[in-house]
Amino acid sequence: MAIERTLAIIKPDAVGRGLTGEILSRIHAAKFYIIAIKTRRLTRKEAEGFYAVHRERPFFEELTTFMSTSKVVVMVLEAENAIAKWREVMGATDPAKAAPGTIRKELGASIQYNCTHGSDATDTAALEISYFFSGSELV
Ligand code: ATP
Ligand code: MG
């Protein structure tokens, strides 16, 4: 297994409900190394660019509105097999279908308000990291 980096976001629903600390503790407990972290309020355009793969989906408008309503926490996480590992810690997209003990199962409110984002592959992870962080922030 290789050491990988993935992009994680604590979404506006979770930041707004005061769950940032709880989610960071889970990240530490799962032994990810936080390479970079910052808070941002995404513009509508940034949210649309970030979720461009979903632009034809019926929920695109709602999703990009939601993601740009208030602050998010964006992070680069490093670990062995970090991409799949972070998706495992988050759980399935829909909290109702997520495994017990996962962030989305325990803290998520709905398929949209599901607390966190995680990259889904090596190429998207690299693209998403560069969307928010410059090279000098990643050393
Ligand atoms: P993410 O990309 O945020 O990590 P994911 O990879 O598990 O989540 P995607 O299919 O990429 O899921 O969907 C992106 C986001 O769009 C979801 O996390 C969720 O916030 C929202 N979403 C997905 N499906 C729906 C839906 N049917 N209705 C409303 N929102 C949805
Ligand atoms: Mg996704």
Side-chain angles (χ1 to χ4, degrees), residues 110-128:
S110 70
I111 193 165
Q112 174 166 246
Y113 299 142
N114 61 3
C115 297
T116 50
H117 163 82
S119 309
D120 59 12
T122 321
D123 55 341
T124 50
L127 198 74
E128 291 179 1

mmCIF file with all atom_site columns, all heavy atoms in Angstrom, residues 110-128:
data_model
loop_
_atom_site.group_PDB
_atom_site.id
_atom_site.type_symbol
_atom_site.label_atom_id
_atom_site.label_alt_id
_atom_site.label_comp_id
_atom_site.label_asym_id
_atom_site.label_entity_id
_atom_site.label_seq_id
_atom_site.pdbx_PDB_ins_code
_atom_site.Cartn_x
_atom_site.Cartn_y
_atom_site.Cartn_z
_atom_site.occupancy
_atom_site.B_iso_or_equiv
_atom_site.pdbx_formal_charge
_atom_site.auth_seq_id
_atom_site.auth_comp_id
_atom_site.auth_asym_id
_atom_site.auth_atom_id
_atom_site.pdbx_PDB_model_num
ATOM 1   N N   . SER A 1 110 ? -28.614 14.046 6.229   1.00 0.00 ? 110 SER A N   1
ATOM 2   C CA  . SER A 1 110 ? -29.309 13.618 5.006   1.00 0.00 ? 110 SER A CA  1
ATOM 3   C C   . SER A 1 110 ? -28.277 13.367 3.922   1.00 0.00 ? 110 SER A C   1
ATOM 4   O O   . SER A 1 110 ? -27.095 13.668 4.108   1.00 0.00 ? 110 SER A O   1
ATOM 5   C CB  . SER A 1 110 ? -30.267 14.714 4.541   1.00 0.00 ? 110 SER A CB  1
ATOM 6   O OG  . SER A 1 110 ? -29.512 15.826 4.061   1.00 0.00 ? 110 SER A OG  1
ATOM 7   N N   . ILE A 1 111 ? -28.738 12.866 2.784   1.00 0.00 ? 111 ILE A N   1
ATOM 8   C CA  . ILE A 1 111 ? -27.802 12.588 1.681   1.00 0.00 ? 111 ILE A CA  1
ATOM 9   C C   . ILE A 1 111 ? -27.069 13.862 1.253   1.00 0.00 ? 111 ILE A C   1
ATOM 10  O O   . ILE A 1 111 ? -25.923 13.807 0.828   1.00 0.00 ? 111 ILE A O   1
ATOM 11  C CB  . ILE A 1 111 ? -28.506 11.881 0.498   1.00 0.00 ? 111 ILE A CB  1
ATOM 12  C CG1 . ILE A 1 111 ? -27.478 11.310 -0.487  1.00 0.00 ? 111 ILE A CG1 1
ATOM 13  C CG2 . ILE A 1 111 ? -29.502 12.789 -0.182  1.00 0.00 ? 111 ILE A CG2 1
ATOM 14  C CD1 . ILE A 1 111 ? -28.035 10.311 -1.480  1.00 0.00 ? 111 ILE A CD1 1
ATOM 15  N N   . GLN A 1 112 ? -27.714 15.017 1.382   1.00 0.00 ? 112 GLN A N   1
ATOM 16  C CA  . GLN A 1 112 ? -27.034 16.270 1.039   1.00 0.00 ? 112 GLN A CA  1
ATOM 17  C C   . GLN A 1 112 ? -26.203 16.788 2.220   1.00 0.00 ? 112 GLN A C   1
ATOM 18  O O   . GLN A 1 112 ? -25.028 17.120 2.063   1.00 0.00 ? 112 GLN A O   1
ATOM 19  C CB  . GLN A 1 112 ? -28.040 17.334 0.613   1.00 0.00 ? 112 GLN A CB  1
ATOM 20  C CG  . GLN A 1 112 ? -27.364 18.677 0.389   1.00 0.00 ? 112 GLN A CG  1
ATOM 21  C CD  . GLN A 1 112 ? -28.262 19.645 -0.354  1.00 0.00 ? 112 GLN A CD  1
ATOM 22  O OE1 . GLN A 1 112 ? -27.982 20.022 -1.467  1.00 0.00 ? 112 GLN A OE1 1
ATOM 23  N NE2 . GLN A 1 112 ? -29.344 20.024 0.296   1.00 0.00 ? 112 GLN A NE2 1
ATOM 24  N N   . TYR A 1 113 ? -26.811 16.828 3.387   1.00 0.00 ? 113 TYR A N   1
ATOM 25  C CA  . TYR A 1 113 ? -26.119 17.329 4.581   1.00 0.00 ? 113 TYR A CA  1
ATOM 26  C C   . TYR A 1 113 ? -25.388 16.166 5.240   1.00 0.00 ? 113 TYR A C   1
ATOM 27  O O   . TYR A 1 113 ? -25.759 15.711 6.324   1.00 0.00 ? 113 TYR A O   1
ATOM 28  C CB  . TYR A 1 113 ? -27.118 17.968 5.546   1.00 0.00 ? 113 TYR A CB  1
ATOM 29  C CG  . TYR A 1 113 ? -27.856 19.162 4.970   1.00 0.00 ? 113 TYR A CG  1
ATOM 30  C CD1 . TYR A 1 113 ? -29.204 19.378 5.261   1.00 0.00 ? 113 TYR A CD1 1
ATOM 31  C CD2 . TYR A 1 113 ? -27.214 20.076 4.147   1.00 0.00 ? 113 TYR A CD2 1
ATOM 32  C CE1 . TYR A 1 113 ? -29.884 20.471 4.743   1.00 0.00 ? 113 TYR A CE1 1
ATOM 33  C CE2 . TYR A 1 113 ? -27.885 21.170 3.612   1.00 0.00 ? 113 TYR A CE2 1
ATOM 34  C CZ  . TYR A 1 113 ? -29.217 21.358 3.920   1.00 0.00 ? 113 TYR A CZ  1
ATOM 35  O OH  . TYR A 1 113 ? -29.886 22.433 3.400   1.00 0.00 ? 113 TYR A OH  1
ATOM 36  N N   . ASN A 1 114 ? -24.335 15.720 4.562   1.00 0.00 ? 114 ASN A N   1
ATOM 37  C CA  . ASN A 1 114 ? -23.638 14.510 5.019   1.00 0.00 ? 114 ASN A CA  1
ATOM 38  C C   . ASN A 1 114 ? -22.246 14.802 5.597   1.00 0.00 ? 114 ASN A C   1
ATOM 39  O O   . ASN A 1 114 ? -21.381 13.942 5.635   1.00 0.00 ? 114 ASN A O   1
ATOM 40  C CB  . ASN A 1 114 ? -23.603 13.456 3.910   1.00 0.00 ? 114 ASN A CB  1
ATOM 41  C CG  . ASN A 1 114 ? -22.867 13.947 2.672   1.00 0.00 ? 114 ASN A CG  1
ATOM 42  O OD1 . ASN A 1 114 ? -22.339 15.050 2.656   1.00 0.00 ? 114 ASN A OD1 1
ATOM 43  N ND2 . ASN A 1 114 ? -22.830 13.121 1.647   1.00 0.00 ? 114 ASN A ND2 1
ATOM 44  N N   . CYS A 1 115 ? -22.036 16.048 6.041   1.00 0.00 ? 115 CYS A N   1
ATOM 45  C CA  . CYS A 1 115 ? -20.883 16.451 6.890   1.00 0.00 ? 115 CYS A CA  1
ATOM 46  C C   . CYS A 1 115 ? -19.512 16.604 6.239   1.00 0.00 ? 115 CYS A C   1
ATOM 47  O O   . CYS A 1 115 ? -18.766 17.493 6.614   1.00 0.00 ? 115 CYS A O   1
ATOM 48  C CB  . CYS A 1 115 ? -20.693 15.509 8.079   1.00 0.00 ? 115 CYS A CB  1
ATOM 49  S SG  . CYS A 1 115 ? -22.071 15.503 9.212   1.00 0.00 ? 115 CYS A SG  1
ATOM 50  N N   . THR A 1 116 ? -19.157 15.684 5.356   1.00 0.00 ? 116 THR A N   1
ATOM 51  C CA  . THR A 1 116 ? -17.773 15.703 4.865   1.00 0.00 ? 116 THR A CA  1
ATOM 52  C C   . THR A 1 116 ? -17.703 15.339 3.386   1.00 0.00 ? 116 THR A C   1
ATOM 53  O O   . THR A 1 116 ? -18.616 14.717 2.834   1.00 0.00 ? 116 THR A O   1
ATOM 54  C CB  . THR A 1 116 ? -16.902 14.692 5.659   1.00 0.00 ? 116 THR A CB  1
ATOM 55  O OG1 . THR A 1 116 ? -17.568 13.440 5.675   1.00 0.00 ? 116 THR A OG1 1
ATOM 56  C CG2 . THR A 1 116 ? -16.625 15.166 7.066   1.00 0.00 ? 116 THR A CG2 1
ATOM 57  N N   . HIS A 1 117 ? -16.600 15.737 2.792   1.00 0.00 ? 117 HIS A N   1
ATOM 58  C CA  . HIS A 1 117 ? -16.266 15.336 1.420   1.00 0.00 ? 117 HIS A CA  1
ATOM 59  C C   . HIS A 1 117 ? -14.948 14.585 1.445   1.00 0.00 ? 117 HIS A C   1
ATOM 60  O O   . HIS A 1 117 ? -14.068 14.896 2.246   1.00 0.00 ? 117 HIS A O   1
ATOM 61  C CB  . HIS A 1 117 ? -16.106 16.571 0.515   1.00 0.00 ? 117 HIS A CB  1
ATOM 62  C CG  . HIS A 1 117 ? -15.377 16.251 -0.766  1.00 0.00 ? 117 HIS A CG  1
ATOM 63  N ND1 . HIS A 1 117 ? -16.008 15.708 -1.848  1.00 0.00 ? 117 HIS A ND1 1
ATOM 64  C CD2 . HIS A 1 117 ? -14.060 16.338 -1.087  1.00 0.00 ? 117 HIS A CD2 1
ATOM 65  C CE1 . HIS A 1 117 ? -15.104 15.479 -2.802  1.00 0.00 ? 117 HIS A CE1 1
ATOM 66  N NE2 . HIS A 1 117 ? -13.912 15.864 -2.363  1.00 0.00 ? 117 HIS A NE2 1
ATOM 67  N N   . GLY A 1 118 ? -14.782 13.668 0.506   1.00 0.00 ? 118 GLY A N   1
ATOM 68  C CA  . GLY A 1 118 ? -13.489 13.017 0.302   1.00 0.00 ? 118 GLY A CA  1
ATOM 69  C C   . GLY A 1 118 ? -13.273 12.723 -1.166  1.00 0.00 ? 118 GLY A C   1
ATOM 70  O O   . GLY A 1 118 ? -14.218 12.343 -1.869  1.00 0.00 ? 118 GLY A O   1
ATOM 71  N N   . SER A 1 119 ? -12.035 12.880 -1.617  1.00 0.00 ? 119 SER A N   1
ATOM 72  C CA  . SER A 1 119 ? -11.710 12.556 -3.013  1.00 0.00 ? 119 SER A CA  1
ATOM 73  C C   . SER A 1 119 ? -11.989 11.078 -3.267  1.00 0.00 ? 119 SER A C   1
ATOM 74  O O   . SER A 1 119 ? -11.978 10.267 -2.337  1.00 0.00 ? 119 SER A O   1
ATOM 75  C CB  . SER A 1 119 ? -10.236 12.830 -3.299  1.00 0.00 ? 119 SER A CB  1
ATOM 76  O OG  . SER A 1 119 ? -9.879  14.126 -2.878  1.00 0.00 ? 119 SER A OG  1
ATOM 77  N N   . ASP A 1 120 ? -12.218 10.736 -4.545  1.00 0.00 ? 120 ASP A N   1
ATOM 78  C CA  . ASP A 1 120 ? -12.588 9.341  -4.827  1.00 0.00 ? 120 ASP A CA  1
ATOM 79  C C   . ASP A 1 120 ? -11.565 8.547  -5.632  1.00 0.00 ? 120 ASP A C   1
ATOM 80  O O   . ASP A 1 120 ? -11.781 7.364  -5.886  1.00 0.00 ? 120 ASP A O   1
ATOM 81  C CB  . ASP A 1 120 ? -13.979 9.274  -5.479  1.00 0.00 ? 120 ASP A CB  1
ATOM 82  C CG  . ASP A 1 120 ? -14.063 10.054 -6.772  1.00 0.00 ? 120 ASP A CG  1
ATOM 83  O OD1 . ASP A 1 120 ? -13.005 10.470 -7.303  1.00 0.00 ? 120 ASP A OD1 1
ATOM 84  O OD2 . ASP A 1 120 ? -15.193 10.246 -7.261  1.00 0.00 ? 120 ASP A OD2 1
ATOM 85  N N   . ALA A 1 121 ? -10.463 9.174  -6.055  1.00 0.00 ? 121 ALA A N   1
ATOM 86  C CA  . ALA A 1 121 ? -9.450  8.445  -6.834  1.00 0.00 ? 121 ALA A CA  1
ATOM 87  C C   . ALA A 1 121 ? -8.158  9.258  -6.818  1.00 0.00 ? 121 ALA A C   1
ATOM 88  O O   . ALA A 1 121 ? -8.158  10.431 -6.434  1.00 0.00 ? 121 ALA A O   1
ATOM 89  C CB  . ALA A 1 121 ? -9.927  8.240  -8.260  1.00 0.00 ? 121 ALA A CB  1
ATOM 90  N N   . THR A 1 122 ? -7.061  8.643  -7.263  1.00 0.00 ? 122 THR A N   1
ATOM 91  C CA  . THR A 1 122 ? -5.760  9.319  -7.241  1.00 0.00 ? 122 THR A CA  1
ATOM 92  C C   . THR A 1 122 ? -5.765  10.600 -8.072  1.00 0.00 ? 122 THR A C   1
ATOM 93  O O   . THR A 1 122 ? -5.254  11.638 -7.632  1.00 0.00 ? 122 THR A O   1
ATOM 94  C CB  . THR A 1 122 ? -4.665  8.383  -7.808  1.00 0.00 ? 122 THR A CB  1
ATOM 95  O OG1 . THR A 1 122 ? -4.923  7.077  -7.344  1.00 0.00 ? 122 THR A OG1 1
ATOM 96  C CG2 . THR A 1 122 ? -3.290  8.810  -7.375  1.00 0.00 ? 122 THR A CG2 1
ATOM 97  N N   . ASP A 1 123 ? -6.337  10.530 -9.276  1.00 0.00 ? 123 ASP A N   1
ATOM 98  C CA  . ASP A 1 123 ? -6.304  11.713 -10.149 1.00 0.00 ? 123 ASP A CA  1
ATOM 99  C C   . ASP A 1 123 ? -7.207  12.829 -9.620  1.00 0.00 ? 123 ASP A C   1
ATOM 100 O O   . ASP A 1 123 ? -6.827  14.003 -9.620  1.00 0.00 ? 123 ASP A O   1
ATOM 101 C CB  . ASP A 1 123 ? -6.648  11.341 -11.607 1.00 0.00 ? 123 ASP A CB  1
ATOM 102 C CG  . ASP A 1 123 ? -7.971  10.613 -11.732 1.00 0.00 ? 123 ASP A CG  1
ATOM 103 O OD1 . ASP A 1 123 ? -8.467  10.067 -10.724 1.00 0.00 ? 123 ASP A OD1 1
ATOM 104 O OD2 . ASP A 1 123 ? -8.531  10.591 -12.847 1.00 0.00 ? 123 ASP A OD2 1
ATOM 105 N N   . THR A 1 124 ? -8.388  12.473 -9.097  1.00 0.00 ? 124 THR A N   1
ATOM 106 C CA  . THR A 1 124 ? -9.271  13.517 -8.558  1.00 0.00 ? 124 THR A CA  1
ATOM 107 C C   . THR A 1 124 ? -8.688  14.096 -7.265  1.00 0.00 ? 124 THR A C   1
ATOM 108 O O   . THR A 1 124 ? -8.828  15.289 -6.997  1.00 0.00 ? 124 THR A O   1
ATOM 109 C CB  . THR A 1 124 ? -10.710 12.998 -8.325  1.00 0.00 ? 124 THR A CB  1
ATOM 110 O OG1 . THR A 1 124 ? -10.643 11.777 -7.594  1.00 0.00 ? 124 THR A OG1 1
ATOM 111 C CG2 . THR A 1 124 ? -11.444 12.778 -9.624  1.00 0.00 ? 124 THR A CG2 1
ATOM 112 N N   . ALA A 1 125 ? -8.006  13.270 -6.487  1.00 0.00 ? 125 ALA A N   1
ATOM 113 C CA  . ALA A 1 125 ? -7.376  13.777 -5.258  1.00 0.00 ? 125 ALA A CA  1
ATOM 114 C C   . ALA A 1 125 ? -6.340  14.842 -5.613  1.00 0.00 ? 125 ALA A C   1
ATOM 115 O O   . ALA A 1 125 ? -6.326  15.931 -5.018  1.00 0.00 ? 125 ALA A O   1
ATOM 116 C CB  . ALA A 1 125 ? -6.736  12.632 -4.473  1.00 0.00 ? 125 ALA A CB  1
ATOM 117 N N   . ALA A 1 126 ? -5.510  14.567 -6.604  1.00 0.00 ? 126 ALA A N   1
ATOM 118 C CA  . ALA A 1 126 ? -4.472  15.528 -7.006  1.00 0.00 ? 126 ALA A CA  1
ATOM 119 C C   . ALA A 1 126 ? -5.108  16.824 -7.513  1.00 0.00 ? 126 ALA A C   1
ATOM 120 O O   . ALA A 1 126 ? -4.687  17.938 -7.156  1.00 0.00 ? 126 ALA A O   1
ATOM 121 C CB  . ALA A 1 126 ? -3.582  14.910 -8.074  1.00 0.00 ? 126 ALA A CB  1
ATOM 122 N N   . LEU A 1 127 ? -6.145  16.672 -8.309  1.00 0.00 ? 127 LEU A N   1
ATOM 123 C CA  . LEU A 1 127 ? -6.845  17.833 -8.868  1.00 0.00 ? 127 LEU A CA  1
ATOM 124 C C   . LEU A 1 127 ? -7.506  18.663 -7.757  1.00 0.00 ? 127 LEU A C   1
ATOM 125 O O   . LEU A 1 127 ? -7.400  19.899 -7.715  1.00 0.00 ? 127 LEU A O   1
ATOM 126 C CB  . LEU A 1 127 ? -7.919  17.305 -9.829  1.00 0.00 ? 127 LEU A CB  1
ATOM 127 C CG  . LEU A 1 127 ? -8.477  18.283 -10.823 1.00 0.00 ? 127 LEU A CG  1
ATOM 128 C CD1 . LEU A 1 127 ? -7.426  18.540 -11.913 1.00 0.00 ? 127 LEU A CD1 1
ATOM 129 C CD2 . LEU A 1 127 ? -9.746  17.711 -11.478 1.00 0.00 ? 127 LEU A CD2 1
ATOM 130 N N   . GLU A 1 128 ? -8.173  17.987 -6.840  1.00 0.00 ? 128 GLU A N   1
ATOM 131 C CA  . GLU A 1 128 ? -8.886  18.674 -5.760  1.00 0.00 ? 128 GLU A CA  1
ATOM 132 C C   . GLU A 1 128 ? -7.926  19.353 -4.785  1.00 0.00 ? 128 GLU A C   1
ATOM 133 O O   . GLU A 1 128 ? -8.210  20.439 -4.293  1.00 0.00 ? 128 GLU A O   1
ATOM 134 C CB  . GLU A 1 128 ? -9.788  17.679 -5.018  1.00 0.00 ? 128 GLU A CB  1
ATOM 135 C CG  . GLU A 1 128 ? -10.966 17.222 -5.876  1.00 0.00 ? 128 GLU A CG  1
ATOM 136 C CD  . GLU A 1 128 ? -11.868 16.216 -5.174  1.00 0.00 ? 128 GLU A CD  1
ATOM 137 O OE1 . GLU A 1 128 ? -11.615 15.874 -4.005  1.00 0.00 ? 128 GLU A OE1 1
ATOM 138 O OE2 . GLU A 1 128 ? -12.846 15.768 -5.800  1.00 0.00 ? 128 GLU A OE2 1
#
